[in-house]
Amino acid sequence: MTAPSVTLAGLADIGGAPLFGPLRLEVMAGAWTCLLGPSGVGKSTILRLIAGLETGAAFDGTVRASDGGPVAPRVAYMAQEDLLMPWLDVAGNVALGARLRGEAPDRARSDALLDRLGLWSHRIKRPAALSGGQRQRVALARTLMEDRPIVLLDEPFSALDARTRSQMQDLAAEALAGRTVLLVTHDPGEATRLGARNLLMTRDGLRDAEIPATPPLRAVDDPETLRVQGRLLQELRALA
Amino acid sequence: MNQNAPATDPVQRTPARVNDRRGTDSRPAMTGRVGTGFGIAIGLIAAWQALVWAADLPPFILPGPGRVAFALWDNAGLIAGHAVITLTEVVAGLIIGAVLGAATALGLALSPAARRVIRPVLVITQALPVFALAPILTLWLGYGLWSKVLMAVLIIYFPVASAFFDGLMQTPRGWLDQARVMGARPWRVLLHVRLPAALPSLASGLRLAAVYAPIGAIIGEWVGASQGLGYLMLLANGRAKIDLMFAALAVLVAMTLILYRVVGAGCDALVRRVS
């Protein structure tokens, strides 16, 4: 799979009040781009616009893929809530997309994914029987099952404890390698570990944040990564 | 009809609350529940007998529980025959009304055009007192089973459709977004996401329907019938056989309570599957 880059250009307003000004956001092809910024600045709206979802905002602009193909049908989406169906077991949740499209689920692929994400022994459990970390792993498996070149992540790990969160970051970085990923996050540590490009979104528009010289996925205790993370946090504090 | 809704709540909640107090072990809780119900029944019967004695009421005004029990025993075959008729009307009305109500809710949920056209019509029909329709339905459908079945259907149709429709329209937005991104077909989203998510709402509509349906059947029988518990009660009343009337009433109450429990158990099983 060759993943294209995605460019969103334009402006949005909510009921006449500007949400974000004319801006141009380029999500790097086959790499992680992280989007940070204060609440209410329109980060999730950007994600939803790329996914082709309702936003409540009027958007004047374009969303394009570098290969000229459509964007929304090639998107997979993962949110802060796991959005698992409580009445389906883990395997059923992972295969939900096929069921909703009326396709025969690829059992071999979903079995392989469950195995790869350490969910094999949980495959016949309902979500209620799983921990928050396990549930989010199921959501990741469901996202991977969709096998889309563009992956949008809206704070998918923010509700997890620090240990589980870092493990999920490892897992997601490895599993989503080669795809075009846009991650909206409030966590400078997460962005600094995962981002090939980190963007800071403010009322005035977008600007690049510094990233460590080493390639992602960076070690949690790498001194350079921790320094950049500190700087990023300072920048975020200066915005508020 | 809606003002009747809270009346069913004590039936449903009081035992559950007793349950909670008795802890998590289900056997003592179950025994406690049955025990409480039994205790309430004994208390009511005792109060009834006390009233008869205290006010010195003659049997043709208010017969005591003993006399009613005797009438029940004495006329068991007669009452059972009429009860089977009423039960048939109620169950048929319940099934047809539930299916029609649920189908309407699904149609409304799937089609915005249907919502614009049919919803106002539904509300207008609710402004029409269903009781007032009973003579007309008897005129149109005759004295047989179907006018009563239709009364039961009319009385439960709206609560079922309304409860289920509300549930179908309240699917968490995140699930719908997820389905949309996955490229789902609308009717498949309805079938695999919105419908299961709305089953608890459908269940509360069905619980209400279980208590409403007998009302419809009895009204139908009062207006014009040759069989059924409602007919038997009118007949007994006219012949001053008040003990027989109360015996038929007791059977009707027991029937409704059992129906409520059976439908409730079915609904609980349904809700457990999706939560």
Side-chain angles (χ1 to χ4, degrees):
Chain A
M1 175 185 348
T2 42
S5 71
V6 176
T7 308
L8 176 142
L11 57 123
D13 60 75
I14 296 180
L19 177 64
F20 54 78
L23 57 73
R24 187 184 163 81
L25 166 72
E26 199 186 319
V27 188
M28 288 170 69
W32 286 60
T33 302
C34 299
L35 188 58
L36 298 105
S39 298
V41 82
K43 302 187 296 294
S44 290
T45 302
I46 285 188
L47 217 65
R48 296 179 67 86
L49 284 170
I50 296 174
L53 293 171
E54 297 266 322
T55 60
F59 175 62
D60 180 14
T62 55
V63 177
R64 287 211 178 90
S66 56
D67 58 7
V71 176
R74 289 191 290 171
V75 158
Y77 172 76
M78 189 174 161
Q80 182 179 346
E81 317 88 72
D82 51 64
L83 301 176
L84 300 179
M85 306 289 139
W87 53 85
L88 295 177
D89 62 13
V90 165
N93 267 293
V94 170
L96 180 68
R99 177 186 279 224
L100 287 179
R101 286 186 296 271
E103 300 162 356
D106 184 344
R107 284 297 299 272
R109 234 174 70 78
S110 66
D111 284 356
L113 269 174
L114 287 172
D115 193 37
R116 179 175 166 196
L117 295 185
L119 293 166
W120 182 250
S121 58
H122 301 300
R123 68 191 182 283
I124 54 167
K125 286 185 190 165
R126 297 274 195 91
L130 303 176
S131 69
Q134 289 167 336
R135 291 164 64 110
Q136 211 52 328
R137 245 187 295 157
V138 179
L140 179 62
R142 183 189 56 201
T143 309
L144 290 170
M145 189 68 194
E146 290 298 283
D147 200 20
R148 305 280 176 89
I150 304 160
V151 178
L152 306 174
L153 306 174
D154 197 354
E155 301 184 49
F157 315 130
S158 61
L160 305 175
D161 65 85
R163 175 175 155 274
T164 314
R165 190 186 312 151
S166 68
Q167 289 168 343
M168 277 300 291
Q169 289 163 355
D170 296 349
L171 207 53
E174 189 237 347
L176 296 173
R179 293 169 209 265
T180 301
V181 179
L182 179 60
L183 168 69
V184 165
T185 179
H186 281 116
D187 179 0
E190 185 164 280
T192 319
R193 282 198 80 199
L194 294 169
R197 183 185 188 195
N198 288 346
L199 292 166
L200 218 56
M201 187 170 177
T202 68
R203 295 259 168 238
D204 307 323
L206 288 167
R207 68 167 189 264
D208 270 281
E210 184 189 354
I211 55 160
T214 50
L217 164 89
R218 295 153 194 124
V220 287
D221 55 356
D222 172 52
E224 163 76 352
T225 305
L226 289 173
R227 183 191 65 78
V228 174
Q229 173 186 336
R231 270 206 56 165
L232 186 53
L233 182 56
Q234 288 290 11
E235 276 194 78
L236 283 168
R237 283 161 58 99
L239 292 174
Chain B
M1 198 154 35
N2 286 340
Q3 66 267 32
N4 284 347
T8 61
D9 283 344
V11 182
Q12 188 183 342
R13 282 182 192 149
T14 310
R17 231 180 273 135
V18 170
N19 235 355
D20 294 345
R21 245 183 260 137
R22 300 201 179 210
T24 50
D25 190 12
S26 70
R27 268 187 81 89
M30 192 64 193
T31 318
R33 204 157 115 170
V34 172
T36 310
F38 213 70
I40 291 172
I42 297 281
L44 284 176
I45 290 171
W48 175 6
Q49 183 64 67
L51 180 69
V52 171
W53 279 335
D56 196 20
L57 293 169
F60 58 86
I61 295 294
L62 182 65
R67 199 175 268 270
V68 171
F70 187 73
L72 186 60
W73 176 256
D74 220 24
N75 299 287
L78 176 77
I79 295 176
H82 287 286
V84 167
I85 299 293
T86 303
L87 185 64
T88 309
E89 295 162 357
V90 169
V91 171
L94 200 54
I95 292 170
I96 297 172
V99 168
L100 287 180
T104 306
L106 286 171
L108 289 178
L110 201 53
S111 158
R115 281 204 286 283
R116 273 194 304 275
V117 177
I118 297 176
R119 259 192 117 184
V121 177
L122 270 182
V123 175
I124 290 169
T125 60
Q126 275 310 291
L128 225 134
V130 183
F131 310 113
L133 289 179
I136 304 169
L137 295 182
T138 310
L139 176 73
W140 288 346
L141 296 176
Y143 278 65
L145 224 61
W146 286 105
S147 55
K148 288 81 190 172
V149 172
L150 188 57
M151 275 298 292
V153 167
L154 284 179
I155 234 168
I156 68 165
Y157 171 74
F158 190 77
V160 171
S162 170
F164 192 28
F165 175 71
D166 283 348
L168 287 170
M169 297 310 281
Q170 282 164 10
T171 318
R173 179 170 146 171
W175 287 352
L176 297 178
D177 287 345
Q178 178 76 46
R180 169 105 195 240
V181 170
M182 286 172 162
R185 302 252 160 277
W187 71 270
R188 283 194 169 271
V189 179
L190 184 69
L191 190 67
H192 293 299
V193 181
R194 295 170 69 187
L195 192 146
L199 284 184
S201 305
L202 175 63
S204 43
L206 290 178
R207 283 197 186 92
L208 275 185
V211 246
Y212 284 173
I215 301 177
I218 293 298
I219 303 240
E221 288 175 358
W222 277 351
V223 169
S226 52
Q227 9 177 30
L229 286 176
Y231 162 78
L232 181 64
M233 285 169 71
L234 273 192
L235 191 77
N237 195 32
R239 297 183 182 178
K241 289 186 172 175
I242 306 305
D243 49 356
L244 178 59
M245 197 188 96
F246 270 87
L249 182 62
V251 170
L252 180 65
V253 169
M255 205 173 81
T256 305
L257 285 178
I258 291 169
L259 195 66
Y260 179 77
R261 283 267 171 250
V262 169
V263 170
C267 288
D268 286 346
L270 200 68
V271 171
R272 258 200 307 280
R273 281 184 67 94
V274 298
S275 56

